[in-house]
Amino acid sequence: MDELKKIIRDIPDFPKKGILFKDITTLLSDGRSFHRMIDLIAHRYVGQKIDKIVGVEARGFVLGSALAYKLGIGITLVRKPGKLPYTVRKITYDLEYGTDSLEIHEDAFNPGDRVIIADDLLATGGTVAAVVKLVEGLGAELIECAFMAELDALGGRKRLPDGKVFSLLKF
């Protein structure tokens, strides 16, 4: 894991002073490391009955698509408002300063579908907590929230269902 962690670039003072940004694009652009990261996460779910991966806009699409492909299942997209062409379910949630909204197609799941929510990074957990509500509100069963990396100090895990969070890398 240390090998993968070393590839992620630190950007100080981005997007504002005092923030140490973890730039995952360096890992994504390295084919060998990207392949290894996806294999390590996917291995966790091999042999389980998983029906769909849920990818969270936008970097969750990258991780989610690769996991769905590796597991031989489909991906459902959660997007910003106005981006999905069919009837949607919408959730508005609080951010540190303001609110945001996400949407998912109302017919994204069959009743009881077993899903994994995939995103690149778990920080404060607000976005994925909202996605959990969307997924469960449509009758799917959340198996786990899977992340490439987690920023432990921000406590995002506390906002998600107990025992349903997996992060490959922790900072």
Side-chain angles (χ1 to χ4, degrees):
M1 297 307 157
D2 286 340
E3 181 183 319
L4 293 176
K5 285 172 85 169
K6 288 177 187 173
I7 294 169
I8 295 173
R9 176 174 42 205
D10 288 342
I11 309 286
D13 299 322
F14 183 84
K16 63 183 184 177
K17 192 161 182 63
I19 303 285
L20 181 62
F21 186 82
K22 296 293 185 183
D23 180 12
I24 65 159
T25 62
T26 50
L27 189 147
L28 297 177
S29 69
D30 179 67
R32 185 177 153 281
S33 297
F34 180 58
H35 190 260
R36 180 162 166 68
M37 181 263 301
I38 292 299
D39 281 351
L40 288 167
I41 296 172
H43 181 74
R44 181 174 178 83
Y45 305 109
V46 170
Q48 294 186 46
K49 183 191 178 304
I50 307 293
D51 298 298
K52 296 262 177 77
I53 300 291
V54 176
V56 183
E57 189 163 329
R59 292 177 298 187
F61 295 172
V62 175
L63 179 63
S65 294
L67 281 176
Y69 177 81
K70 187 77 176 173
L71 296 171
I73 59 177
I75 183 167
T76 295
L77 304 180
V78 173
R79 304 223 43 204
K80 300 284 185 186
K83 301 290 184 182
L84 293 172
Y86 189 64
T87 307
V88 297
R89 176 87 46 104
K90 180 178 182 176
I91 190 165
T92 299
Y93 59 100
D94 292 327
L95 298 170
E96 190 174 350
Y97 301 104
T99 61
D100 207 352
S101 297
L102 292 169
E103 295 179 342
I104 191 171
H105 279 142
E106 281 193 339
D107 63 352
F109 310 112
N110 294 314
D113 272 358
R114 295 168 48 89
V115 305
I116 296 167
I117 297 171
D119 206 357
D120 64 325
L121 181 76
L122 175 58
T124 63
T127 299
V128 176
V131 175
V132 168
K133 289 179 184 175
L134 281 173
V135 164
E136 291 178 338
L138 289 175
E141 178 187 351
L142 176 66
I143 300 307
E144 202 160 57
C145 300
F147 302 93
M148 178 186 351
E150 179 176 355
L151 302 178
D152 285 334
L154 297 180
R157 182 178 287 263
K158 295 175 192 164
R159 297 181 73 177
L160 302 176
D162 271 351
K164 297 205 176 209
V165 177
F166 172 73
S167 300
L168 183 65
L169 308 173
K170 294 189 179 193
F171 293 94

